[in-house]
């Protein structure tokens, strides 16, 4: 039996080799379809399904969420709290065997005089002990890492950082490294693939004591949210019981969430799952195309199959060889798809999950997915092959067409329709996301962000920059010939907000819109000019205001809300904290002890918090005060930093200008956090990412689907034209024009494409309704989007069939008759 099987396999391989074009086409399309699936599913598995690498008993690990007081049902719990709350949870919850604090941030590392931006995590000393992870090199950081630091505090680096930045130096231990402007000693290298308790990539870990060494009392300030908490349940304890105990200890509601996928935003989750569905659609297109090519291949082999059957080859053997040929093809396609998925992994990861590291080796889940895809491909191929074998044996003239007609079989027609329907659906989906992205960016945000540069550092525990550094750099930047204007800033729209107590004479309660108090912005005269914020009434700020009487500018919404029937100029607003205010006394309201600020101007509204003009976002109240007049709580031990960055409007943006600005800010100092210089518009990227991801990947997948479908169309109509050689020859011989023959073939292809396009538009409407929440100002039935997708499919179909149709119409009748 083994000898017979070996012979059947060899025969099947020779059969595949005899028709290289359709076989290679099927392998390539299957590899593309399966490879795209494996790349997407592998990342979803790594980010949201599989536990973190190298972590002991990850199912017992949970992150702590704190439910805000009077939170709405279903609202997202807060993930950060004070270090005091962390120590309370660690010491007062019997259901836990341990707890650790952590905080993620972007930091600077200086290596060989070069400042690099790295992904860092500040952890309590027991973090690695809690996870049960042992460093690859060195002692690492243990529970006693929270002790008072007397020398350079320890830092632990990732395997990837060790290899890429330190070139795998085995003498790395005890090497000094500057992280966020502070010096550390490398105490360990973590195992390959380890990224902490989740999939979010981390380059370096340092302790809270080390990072906060210059901020005395940080660990006793229960008003400061600076850490998140991960806990480990006892062997026989439940998460509900532990959450209840922690809630009693802290005096508030607590929830525990599994660490698996905990750092992936809800919007990213939805997009990931929708893209998984999209990749499955591409897989379906690839299957349909492979089946079409195999049907065409079988039709071309019908003469050989019929001869072998006449010479005595049994039906079962021919069927078995057809099935084995399908299995061999599926194995080749699956192997190619694994290689392709590995190549695609990094590219897709950067778009879909920036900051999520891929697995070092292919996971078992991905291998299972590849095996399932391979089995499905083998079954589809076997059905196509064996069906063609049966047709060739039963009727040698019926191997995919009516006798001598060259007409499509129902199987071919349905397979082509499936490909075109799904292709149009993906094209329309890309159009929906692209339209949403375009309309989001086309909104009037009330300010001009193009070409403006933002210079600042990423906020985080222990990240401090002396505002004099920014002021000194500002003076130097203003002297650059390529800079039109520059200014200091206190807050950055779309990233952080200042909402101090406010009161307006004549109003019993602090003014609000939809429960949202007005936002305060510390501004300079240049601030309005750089961002193009216009003064509608009154005047703007001047340099004299910094040392003059308290003044304020309000936006149009605030002016109309507070004084709808009169001018805002000259009105009084009290902003700040009353004397003697303490946090425990409740929400502060300014009283007569707080100076009255005169409204001297009204400016246009600007978008402050969200890209979406919903939930009052398009009518939030804002007001502007000079830098020197920003109010701070009186109970603070020291006055907070007012300057948090710079805005620069260049005459002509360039990479060289960014390099020059960085050198002016950093100078020769190695003790600074990473100074980030980027276009101001990039502050929108975090909110825009879902639409950028959807547009990018849906476009790539739809183009891939169109290419695959065009291969199937070309192969099918090339075969059908070959089958109709006799008919075409007779038509030409009796006087038909070549253009008429060309039109005959093209009409058939375009007609089929039109049917597929119509079905695809209906499928796109259904798809659009399922992702309505991810669309902005775009409807699933947008005629422009659907029409463009349908036209694209018809054009691709016409282009795919033009070559075989043109070849047939240009041939001599005698030549066609001789080859039939």
């Amino acid at each position: 039996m083994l000898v017979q099987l070996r012979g059947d396999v060899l025969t099947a391989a020779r059969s595949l080799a005899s028709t290289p074009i359709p076989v290679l086409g099927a392998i390539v399309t299957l590899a593309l379809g399966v490879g795209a699936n494996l790349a997407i599913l592998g990342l979803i598995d790594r980010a949201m399904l599989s536990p973190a690498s190298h972590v002991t008993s990850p199912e017992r690990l949970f992150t702590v969420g704190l439910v805000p007081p009077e939170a709405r049902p279903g609202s997202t719990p807060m993930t950060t709290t004070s270090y005091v709350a962390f120590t309370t949870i660690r010491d007062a919850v019997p259901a836990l065997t341990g707890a650790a604090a952590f905080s993620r941030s972007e930091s600077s590392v200086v290596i060989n005089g070069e400042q690099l931006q790295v992904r860092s995590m500040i952890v309590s000393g027991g973090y690695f002990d809690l996870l049960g992870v042992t460093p690859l090199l060195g002692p690492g950081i243990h529970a006693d890492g929270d002790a008072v630091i007397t020398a350079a505090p320890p830092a632990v680096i990732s395997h990837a950082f060790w290899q890429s930045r330190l070139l795998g130096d085995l003498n790395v231990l005890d090497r000094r490294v500057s992280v966020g402007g502070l010096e550390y000693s490398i105490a360990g290298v973590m195992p390959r693939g380890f990224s902490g308790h989740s999939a979010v990539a981390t380059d370096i870990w340092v302790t809270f004591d080390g990072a906060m060494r210059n901020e005395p009392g940080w660990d006793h300030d229960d008003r400061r949210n600076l850490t998140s908490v991960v806990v480990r349940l006892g062997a026989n304890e439940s998460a509900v019981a532990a959450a209840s105990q922690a809630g009693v200890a802290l005096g508030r509601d607590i929830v525990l969430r599994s660490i698996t996928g905990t750092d992936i935003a809800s919007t990213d989750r939805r997009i990931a799952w929708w893209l998984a569905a999209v990749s499955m659609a591409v897989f379906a297109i690839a299957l349909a195309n492979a089946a079409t090519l195999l049907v065409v291949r079988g039709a071309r082999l019908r003469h050989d199959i019929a001869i072998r059957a006449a010479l005595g080859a049994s039906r079962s053997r021919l069927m078995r060889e057809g099935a084995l040929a399908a299995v061999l093809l599926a194995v080749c396609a699956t192997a190619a798809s694994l290689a392709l998925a590995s190549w695609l992994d990094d590219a897709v990861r950067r778009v879909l999950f920036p900051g999520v590291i891929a697995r070092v080796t292919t996971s078992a889940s991905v291998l299972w997915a590849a095996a399932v895809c391979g089995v499905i491909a083998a079954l589809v191929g076997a059905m196509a092959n064996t069906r063609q074998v049966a047709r060739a044996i039963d009727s040698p003239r019926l191997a995919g067409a009516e006798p001598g007609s060259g007409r499509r079989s129902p199987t071919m027609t349905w397979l082509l329709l499936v490909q075109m329907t799904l292709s149009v659906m993906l094209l329309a989906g890309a159009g929906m996301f692209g339209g949403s992205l375009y309309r989001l960016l086309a909104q009037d945000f009330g300010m001009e962000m193009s070409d403006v540069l933002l210079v600042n550092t990423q906020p985080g525990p222990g990240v401090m920059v002396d505002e004099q550094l920014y002021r000194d750099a500002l003076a130097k930047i203003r002297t650059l010939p390529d800079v039109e204007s520059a200014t200091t800033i206190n807050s950055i729209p779309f990233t952080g907000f200042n909402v101090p107590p406010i009161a307006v004479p004549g109003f019993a309660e602090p003014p609000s819109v939809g429960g949202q108090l007005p936002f305060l912005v510390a501004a300079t005269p240049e601030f309005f000019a750089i961002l193009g914020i216009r003064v509608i009434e009154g005047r703007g700020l001047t340099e004299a205001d910094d040392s003059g009487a308290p003044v304020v500018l309000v936006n149009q919404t605030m002016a109309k809300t507070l004084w709808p029937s009169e001018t805002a100029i000259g009105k009084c607003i009290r902003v700040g904290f009353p004397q003697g205010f303490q946090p425990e006394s409740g929400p502060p309201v300014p009283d007569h002890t707080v100076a009255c600020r005169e409204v001297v101007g009204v400016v246009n509204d600007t978008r402050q918090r969200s890209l979406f003009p919903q939930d009052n976002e398009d009518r939030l109240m804002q007001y502007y005060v000079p830098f020197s007049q920003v109010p701070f709580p009186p109970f603070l031990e020291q006055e907070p930093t007012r300057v948090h960055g710079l805005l620069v409007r260049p005459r002509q943006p360039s990479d060289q200008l960014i390099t020059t600005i960085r050198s002016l800010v950093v100078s020769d100092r190695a003790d600074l956090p990473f100074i980030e210089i980027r276009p101001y518009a990039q502050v929108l990227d975090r909110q825009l990412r879902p639409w950028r991801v959807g547009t990018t990947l849906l476009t790539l997948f739809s183009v891939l689907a169109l290419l695959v479908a065009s291969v199937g169309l070309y192969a099918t109509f090339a075969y059908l034209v070959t089958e109709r050689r006799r008919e075409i020859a007779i038509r030409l011989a009796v006087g038909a024009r070549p253009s008429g023959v060309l039109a005959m073939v093209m009409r058939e292809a375009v007609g089929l494409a039109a049917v597929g396009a119509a079905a695809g538009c209906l499928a796109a409407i259904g798809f659009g309704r399922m992702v309505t929440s991810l669309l902005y100002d775009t409807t699933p039935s947008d005629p422009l989007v659907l029409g463009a997708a349908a036209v694209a499919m018809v054009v691709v179909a016409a282009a795919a069939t033009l070559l075989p149709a043109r070849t047939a119409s240009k041939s001599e009748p005698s030549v066609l008759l001789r080859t039939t």
Side-chain angles (χ1 to χ4, degrees), residues 170-225:
L170 294 177
N171 297 316
V172 71
L173 297 181
D174 296 327
R175 177 171 174 174
R176 298 302 172 95
V177 59
S178 172
V179 182
L182 299 174
E183 188 178 66
Y184 295 85
S185 174
I186 296 178
V189 177
M190 299 310 293
R192 182 182 180 89
F194 175 77
S195 58
H197 65 275
S198 71
V200 177
T202 303
D203 298 310
I204 191 163
W205 292 263
V206 299
T207 64
F208 273 99
D209 272 317
M212 308 294 290
R213 73 186 85 162
N214 294 328
E215 298 187 46
W218 64 272
D219 53 342
H220 299 297
D221 187 353
D222 58 4
R223 300 183 301 268
R224 185 174 182 183
N225 286 350

Side-chain angles (χ1 to χ4, degrees), residues 104-108 117-120 457-459 463 673-674 676:
R104 299 186 186 279
S105 65
E106 300 285 330
S107 301
S108 68
Q117 188 174 26
V118 299
R119 293 159 294 198
S120 62
T457 61
Q458 291 294 328
V463 176
F674 186 78
E676 190 171 29

Side-chain angles (χ1 to χ4, degrees), residues 432 435-436 439-440 443 612 691 772 774-780 782:
M432 293 176 196
S436 296
R439 292 179 177 90
L440 280 169
Q443 295 180 91
F612 310 102
W691 289 271
T772 301
L774 295 176
L775 301 180
Y776 173 74
D777 201 21
T778 302
T779 63
D782 188 325

